[in-house]
Amino acid sequence: MTDSTLLHASVSHLRQLLKDRAVSSEELTEACLKQINATNEALNAIITVCPEQALESARAADSQLAKGESKSLTGIPLLHKDIFCTRGVRTTCGSRMLEQFVPAYDATVVSKMKAEGVVMLGKCNMDEFAMGSSNETSFFGTVKNPWDLSCVPGGSSGGSAAALATGMAPLVTGTDTGGSIRQPASLCGVTGLKPTYGRVSRLGIIAFASSLDQAGPMARTAEDCALALTAMAGMDDGDSTSANLPVPDFHGALNPNLQGLRIGLPREYFNDDLNADVRARVMAALSELEKAGASLIDIDLPHSHYAIATYYVIAPAEASANLARYDGVRFGYRCEQPSDLEDLYLRSRSEGFGEEVQRRILVGTYALSAGFYDAYFNKAQQVRRVITEDFRRAFEQVDVIAGPSAPGVAFPFGAKQQDPIAMYMEDIYTLAVNLAGLPGLSTPAGLINGMPVGLQLIGKPFDEQTILNAAHRLQIDTDWHTARPNLEAITS
Ligand code: GLN
């Protein structure tokens, strides 16, 4: 088996190879570590690599496989976004504030996936505290897009998406507060799933905006995302917002028969602002679904244009509260020789947090201040309800809502960094899904001038299955998801 076959195989394929003993988890893990060594210097997708720990769990997985005692992901190498607490392994959240933070416990996602037998290779780079759409806010430097090194990989889970696209691991995790799984998946040509809010426990995920944050998988296929979702989902006593619902076997239940599926196309997404090339790719993907038996129906989400403004009140407000804990006293970065307590707070936070995080804290604190609370935060909550209602009404007519995942392909470094509003527009098609707590998925829909673009599929609450089915069918009928970047230029 050549390394390149292994490095581009899907999790489902690798599971079979491991089960048949055609490859060992140790060999597979070594191949991934070699790929990380060869490409990470150019890409900067990973902050921490754990080779010894990984090889040790790979050997343990091999002995389980030999005994025929494997679980759903036994021996599969994986990288976690560096927002998930990992016991004994540094967890930075892309920030100087947590540069030296070594958690004493695993996030529930991490422990659940461990229990399913994954081999953790390390932790992926990300925008600082998951705030950004380009990975340019990371304290650990930008991540390069493997399809074009002069472009961003998207964000905030850009390290995860770039690592996956490069073959560093067949499975990665991300979190999505406003688009951070779907947008980088789109820009790096991989499949990414944001589950319904509450489907996956948030315990041990460093909090950004608690009412929006949700963890999910990114992989090479929708089938792999289905496998990973079942492994990570479920009610957790440690997270009172996790849903008390049984976790289906999403993989076992995959059904590519789309006969009768009604797909809604929001007029507000397919308007004159939609880039013509993106529209062409998205429509090409949708016509494949139509050929497979789905029908396309025009729908309205009349309050869509309020999503960005609403999100950028609610998310910073929640972030300002969540980030208050980093005070330089209990844990995290502390400035040198503070002259008094106020100096300690002030300098620890000014030096520990980057510019975008500070901007969010300022906006959020303002929106929550006594004089403006009603005008901003309460108003945003009301609009959030109206946006959620739009989706509820649309789902009376259709089973799935489709649109682009991002307004364009990957853009050059620096192109949007000086203009926060231009950057915020990157999530114009994804944010509302978080505001409404719905599941959303991005699946590759071909290339525009050599750069990937994604189709977004949005589902009813807790109906991840239907969007996984549709993406699965698309991946049976087309080969867009198998396109890979040319890595010759970056492999050292
Ligand atoms: N780009 C959005 C933001 O900066 C969303 C980020 C996310 O989903 N974590 O807030």
Side-chain angles (χ1 to χ4, degrees), residues 330-368:
R330 290 164 294 182
F331 62 98
Y333 176 83
R334 178 181 298 170
C335 67
E336 300 278 343
Q337 300 183 321
S339 56
D340 55 24
L341 187 62
E342 193 171 330
D343 185 45
L344 169 85
Y345 288 155
L346 204 71
R347 281 204 292 122
S348 298
R349 288 170 66 82
S350 313
E351 293 166 17
F353 289 135
E355 199 179 299
E356 182 61 25
V357 174
Q358 293 191 32
R359 179 170 19 247
R360 305 274 178 119
I361 293 172
L362 285 174
V363 170
T365 309
Y366 182 79
L368 290 177

Side-chain angles (χ1 to χ4, degrees), residues 81 83 126-134 137 155-157 175-184 194 208-209 212-214 311-312 315-316 356 360 423-424 426-427 430-431 434:
K81 183 179 184 179
I83 197 168
M126 55 179 285
D127 276 302
E128 185 178 10
F129 284 97
M131 297 174 192
S133 303
S134 66
T137 73
S156 66
S157 314
T175 57
D176 189 314
T177 303
S180 277
I181 289 177
R182 291 160 287 159
Q183 185 257 12
K194 179 205 101 71
F208 164 11
L212 301 161
D213 297 344
Q214 189 60 197
Y311 173 89
Y312 278 101
E356 182 61 25
R360 305 274 178 119
M423 190 68 89
Y424 297 170
E426 267 302 296
D427 296 316
T430 49
L431 287 175
N434 300 71

Side-chain angles (χ1 to χ4, degrees), residues 4-16:
S4 110
T5 318
L6 284 184
L7 295 178
H8 295 295
S10 66
V11 173
S12 335
H13 185 197
L14 292 170
R15 271 194 347 153
Q16 196 56 49

